[in-house]
Amino acid sequence: MDEIHIAIVGLGHRALGWIHLLQRISGYRIVAVCDPIEALLEPALAALTNRDGVRATTNYADILADDGIDAVALCVRCREQGALAAMGLEAGKHVNSEVPAAHSIEDCWRIVLAAERSGKVYQLAEQTRYWGFVDAWRQIVAEGQIGRVTFCEGQYIGYYGTRVFFQDPHTGRHYGVDELAQHPQARPTWLQDMPPIHYLPHELSPKLKVLDDRVVEVTAMSTGSPSYAHPEITSPDIQVALMKTEKDALLRMATGFTQPVSHTRGHHWYHVMGTGGSIEWSRSGRERPKMWRADGQMHDMADVDWRLERTDAPAEARASGHGDADYYVHAAFRDAILHGGTVPFDVYAAIDTAAPAILAADSIAAGTKLMKVPDFRPGAARQRGERPGPAPGDAPGDAPGDAPGNAQHGS
Ligand SMILES: NC(=O)c1ccc[n+]([C@@H]2O[C@H](COP(=O)([O-])OP(=O)(O)OC[C@H]3O[C@@H](n4cnc5c(N)ncnc54)[C@H](O)[C@@H]3O)[C@@H](O)[C@H]2O)c1
């Protein structure tokens, strides 16, 4: 195979970006587009430079049954995101899925098992892990330049206005709260039901890459529903999780979609503190990222010109989106399929970012209960491709492999 025949599934704003990019990157041919909202098929087809023979369907089952499709690009925003990814793998397709991967622990297991059993490539297309500063910070931590990491912060306060929260189910058009009176047919989108903290894979992905670590425990809190900023929206403004990692670092991670933030600061922010120093991302457009070393004769933190853009980006990556990072997930997915092997951000590392986020929401639902995060890797307790047995103390009906005491995962 020298060209991946790929179907784009979920034809919203993000998919149009993927369609544009996948036509620019060698090794891909878009052969199908799919969305349950029929009105979104034509704009997706119109975004193709050559639409001849490209299948357009409102039914995901058509994509799964089509032998001419090698891979699924999953750009959906819905509760079933994880199940759809697993179904793709189960149908023998490679799957490149947008964040946040899944919305239940059961779906996390389903993805892992389907990837193991099918041998197909699963990638969570989380791109910020390819940012230039992420690799620089990973090296700093690995070399012990800031000592042993004790405390980290990360947040995704992604304010898009209110249009993402209401959609006309027939036309697919989104409306803001100020347009609802004129468009009473608009319905709340999944983003109003989704606990904001479910979006944490976008932050945990670069963070856990920097730390070379995984989360083992999580608890969380939420502001109330509806939003204080936009009372027409049921989503809480802020949810904050406290996490402990296998290497004994503490993480404070926050998300929100309705909380206004300054435009120049960006959605993402990070901080890593160790026994020998600290590194942190900039707080405003006027600032640079900063570093301080305890052994460096430094009285204050120093500005460092770390950027999202990599200094070694190939021409194909430039202007691909999100500080050039969008290119890398498509290149990694392509290379794993065409040349064999796996993606650098493999299924276990991907689910390491999704499961703590899901359990953080479960913790909130259970009154800020401490939750144990299962390890999804095969090992002594579970063979590759085998479902995990119930953990000691699990009640009948608990999700497989959960640690004792964890609440049900119906999110
Ligand atoms: N990585 C990033 O930087 C980034 C940026 C934006 C969005 N995203 C992610 O991309 C995805 C899409 O975001 P968006 O802004 O385009 O959302 P959107 O709501 O505009 O579009 C999502 C589309 O998915 C479709 N869909 C829902 N259920 C489906 C199903 N069962 N089968 C097929 N299609 C289905 C909807 O009809 C909708 O058209 C989300 O998962 C979001 O979290 C990632």
Side-chain angles (χ1 to χ4, degrees):
M1 191 201 300
D2 57 5
E3 194 178 55
I4 300 160
H5 289 189
I6 194 162
I8 314 291
V9 177
L11 302 175
H13 167 78
R14 187 71 179 141
L16 293 176
W18 279 43
I19 289 171
H20 174 72
L21 200 50
L22 288 173
Q23 293 180 99
R24 230 178 77 178
I25 298 175
S26 60
Y28 286 105
R29 189 201 302 187
I30 296 170
V31 295
V33 294
C34 170
D35 196 291
I37 301 177
E38 193 170 1
L40 296 177
L41 299 178
E42 180 52 34
L45 290 172
L48 297 169
T49 45
N50 181 3
R51 59 192 282 172
D52 293 348
V54 176
R55 184 170 194 175
T57 175
T58 55
N59 190 354
Y60 188 47
D62 293 342
I63 301 295
L64 300 183
D66 190 332
D67 289 340
I69 294 171
D70 306 312
V72 171
L74 210 52
C75 294
V76 299
R77 210 191 260 285
C78 59
R79 186 187 301 272
E80 302 77 27
Q81 178 167 4
L84 296 175
M87 287 162 73
L89 296 163
E90 289 159 6
K93 316 290 184 204
H94 306 285
V95 173
N96 200 8
S97 169
E98 261 300 351
V99 287
H103 295 289
S104 72
I105 294 293
E106 178 57 27
D107 283 349
C108 289
W109 276 116
R110 192 170 165 189
I111 291 170
V112 167
L113 294 176
E116 290 176 344
R117 290 171 184 166
S118 68
K120 298 294 172 185
V121 175
Y122 171 82
Q123 179 180 258
L124 180 61
E126 200 297 307
Q127 76 279 44
T128 66
R129 63 188 293 107
Y130 289 99
W131 278 340
F133 82 89
V134 172
D135 275 6
W137 287 19
R138 181 179 163 91
Q139 187 180 349
I140 285 168
V141 169
E143 291 175 357
Q145 291 186 39
I146 57 168
R148 184 192 180 92
V149 173
T150 51
F151 176 51
C152 298
E153 296 171 282
Q155 63 196 41
Y156 182 92
I157 315 289
Y159 184 68
Y160 311 122
T162 59
R163 297 191 97 234
V164 287
F165 293 98
F166 299 93
Q167 187 179 30
D168 182 323
H170 298 295
T171 64
R173 282 198 60 183
H174 286 89
Y175 295 101
V177 292
D178 53 328
E179 299 167 293
L180 293 179
Q182 290 76 48
H183 301 280
Q185 76 284 9
R187 294 283 165 267
T189 63
W190 160 238
L191 213 49
Q192 293 211 40
D193 278 343
M194 183 183 101
I197 204 83
H198 274 198
Y199 212 57
L200 266 191
H202 224 353
E203 298 309 286
L204 283 175
S205 166
K207 179 69 71 185
L208 296 178
K209 183 180 178 186
V210 167
L211 302 182
D212 189 23
D213 206 350
R214 61 176 281 271
V215 176
V216 294
E217 288 179 352
V218 56
T219 185
M221 283 191 187
S222 178
T223 56
S225 167
S227 155
Y228 293 107
H230 299 289
E232 303 85 348
I233 296 169
T234 54
S235 189
D237 292 313
I238 293 292
Q239 297 191 320
V240 180
L242 271 183
M243 302 180 173
K244 182 180 260 237
T245 70
E246 202 161 55
K247 293 182 180 171
D248 201 20
L250 296 185
L251 273 50
R252 178 204 66 89
M253 309 294 292
T255 52
F257 293 100
T258 46
Q259 166 74 59
V261 285
S262 80
H263 295 298
T264 48
R265 197 204 54 78
H267 299 338
H268 304 266
W269 185 77
Y270 315 91
H271 170 220
V272 182
M273 180 178 275
T275 54
S278 62
I279 39 186
E280 69 175 63
W281 195 240
S282 54
R283 283 283 191 185
S284 79
R286 297 186 313 281
E287 286 185 329
R288 292 275 167 100
K290 295 182 172 50
M291 179 174 192
W292 178 78
R293 285 182 60 160
D295 64 359
Q297 290 298 324
M298 298 171 71
H299 292 267
D300 199 355
M301 299 195 80
D303 286 356
V304 185
D305 189 12
W306 285 310
R307 301 189 189 181
L308 310 184
E309 292 80 6
R310 303 180 64 93
T311 53
D312 56 0
E316 252 191 328
R318 303 243 166 80
S320 60
H322 295 93
D324 298 346
D326 283 4
Y327 161 82
Y328 291 92
V329 293
H330 298 297
F333 187 65
R334 173 198 64 197
D335 293 347
I337 294 170
L338 296 184
H339 309 306
T342 182
V343 281
F345 188 36
D346 70 12
V347 67
Y348 306 110
I351 300 302
D352 277 349
T353 71
I358 293 163
L359 291 170
D362 289 351
S363 168
I364 292 166
T368 306
K369 186 171 179 173
L370 185 69
M371 313 297 278
K372 305 273 185 198
V373 182
D375 188 349
F376 290 81
R377 289 163 183 77
R382 183 183 75 85
Q383 297 293 306
R384 223 179 132 75
E386 257 180 25
R387 282 185 80 80
D394 269 358
D398 274 359
D402 275 354
N406 278 0
Q408 287 286 302
H409 310 297
S411 54

